[in-house]
Amino acid sequence: MPADATTIELVEVGPRDGLQNESVVFSTAAKVEFIERVIAAGTRRVEVTSFVNPKRVPQMADAEDVLRLLPRHEGVYYVGLVLNAKGFERAAAAGCNEIGMAVVASDTFNRRNQGVSTEESIAAWLDIARSAKAAGIRPQVTVSAAFGCPFEGEIAADRVLEVVRRVAEAEPHEVALADTIGVGVPTQVTDLVGRVRDALPGIQVRCHFHNTRNTGLANAYAAVQAGATVLDASVGGIGGCPFAPAATGNIPTEDLLYMLARMGVRTGVDLEATIATGRWLQDHLGRPVPGMLVKAGGFPGVSASREA
Ligand code: MG
């Protein structure tokens, strides 16, 4: 682990990536409660919704209402996921203070997910980033399917790196590498994060993992070791992608918190409060969540990663 990797910033993606694939529709009030719970636990960045076509992702149809009902907190960033200029305009009007755009490393997946080529999404992103900065909104970008594509299979690291270089031209707050369908393995993470850091030493690297094949937490460890400083996670490990066949949940926030806290890595997020939110989520979904800590609980002395 690099000497400076004593702090990792978490982005809670449960309210968007976590919920978007759930058949149980959450009320707007329940979403707001979910977001308020993770903020109360210490999280400072929350992907609160996406501004996409509600016909394609019905769970996110209340995006504007969620933003309208959320209390604003000093230092808290409400991230809205956008896939095009129209989505950005909605996110800006709704009051997001950070927007995340996704560009898929694989052209086939980009067309399925957002209806245009990767090249067209890159062009849209460069415009969106400019507009966001002009509006005082923090822009960041995710390169999706960076570790493999459900339609094209392996994506060459050189291709991923090229997409990263292109999106980084906008000088975003950070660039994320996403294992959208959960096929990545730790050696791949070490390699890809290392390459991005070598190619773009000034850029903050975030990683987004799905635990579809149970390698999510190992990948998170590899990412931290390789110098990523921000990780996405969802409480309970809920999630998936409606356009990625058989994709399952994100890495569970509380499981990640446990691992990082015992490694001596600070996150500022309270473990026990996050476990409680996982149980709250479980009650709302009416079924067990994938995360392990919700079942196992913590360990004496690891409950307060906030103070660690
Ligand atoms: Mg995802």
Side-chain angles (χ1 to χ4, degrees):
M1 183 162 53
D4 59 352
T6 52
T7 302
I8 290 290
E9 184 185 26
L10 291 192
V11 179
E12 175 58 46
V13 299
R16 198 284 302 176
D17 203 357
L19 289 183
Q20 72 171 6
N21 216 29
E22 286 297 336
S23 51
V24 176
V25 175
F26 272 49
S27 68
T28 307
K31 290 175 186 173
V32 169
E33 186 179 350
F34 184 11
I35 295 161
E36 285 284 271
R37 290 185 76 111
V38 304
I39 291 167
T43 309
R44 287 294 163 264
R45 290 173 75 189
V46 188
E47 195 180 63
V48 292
T49 190
S50 61
F51 294 87
V52 296
N53 186 344
K55 289 197 190 83
R56 298 196 77 199
V57 189
Q59 183 77 263
M60 297 293 119
D62 62 350
E64 277 82 0
D65 291 337
V66 169
L67 265 300
R68 189 170 46 78
L69 292 173
L70 277 173
R72 299 304 193 260
H73 303 276
E74 184 68 31
V76 169
Y77 285 86
Y78 290 144
V79 185
L81 177 76
V82 306
L83 299 178
N84 51 40
K86 189 184 174 198
F88 167 69
E89 280 156 26
R90 286 178 58 200
C96 289
N97 51 357
E98 179 175 326
I99 57 103
M101 166 89 178
V103 172
V104 191
S106 123
D107 208 53
T108 311
F109 195 178
N110 203 86
R111 287 180 191 280
R112 297 236 189 180
N113 198 56
Q114 39 225 66
V116 295
S117 67
T118 301
E119 202 52 46
E120 287 169 284
S121 282
I122 292 171
W125 150 252
L126 296 174
D127 280 345
I128 287 168
R130 208 174 302 121
S131 304
K133 286 181 183 180
I137 299 167
R138 194 161 83 173
Q140 41 93 346
V141 61
T142 294
V143 177
S144 305
F147 300 89
C149 168
F151 311 108
E152 293 185 17
E154 292 287 353
I155 303 294
D158 284 346
R159 159 76 178 172
V160 178
L161 207 57
E162 180 54 25
V163 175
V164 168
R165 273 205 189 89
R166 295 282 312 284
V167 297
E169 284 168 19
E171 297 181 357
H173 178 67
E174 77 199 353
V175 174
L177 298 171
D179 185 13
T180 312
I181 56 167
V183 290
V185 294
T187 44
Q188 203 181 3
V189 174
T190 304
D191 177 57
L192 207 50
V193 172
R195 284 190 198 218
V196 169
R197 292 194 76 221
D198 287 346
L200 300 157
I203 202 103
Q204 174 163 288
V205 178
R206 177 167 54 89
C207 284
H208 176 105
F209 297 117
H210 280 260
N211 204 31
T212 317
R213 291 169 181 82
N214 221 12
T215 56
L217 219 51
N219 289 341
Y221 175 71
V224 171
Q225 274 201 309
T229 53
V230 190
L231 291 170
D232 286 355
S234 77
V235 175
I238 60 167
C241 173
F243 310 108
T248 51
N250 299 94
I251 52 172
T253 309
E254 61 280 12
D255 295 16
L256 177 65
L257 284 176
Y258 174 81
M259 180 182 81
L260 294 177
R262 288 209 83 192
M263 285 166 60
V265 177
R266 281 186 294 268
T267 59
V269 183
D270 188 78
L271 176 64
E272 290 302 329
T274 307
I275 292 174
T277 300
R279 290 177 179 149
W280 172 90
L281 205 50
Q282 199 159 252
D283 291 341
H284 273 260
L285 289 167
R287 60 166 172 77
V289 294
M292 305 298 278
L293 267 280
V294 163
K295 304 172 197 83
F299 184 72
V302 194
S303 62
S305 59
R306 191 195 290 257
E307 280 86 38

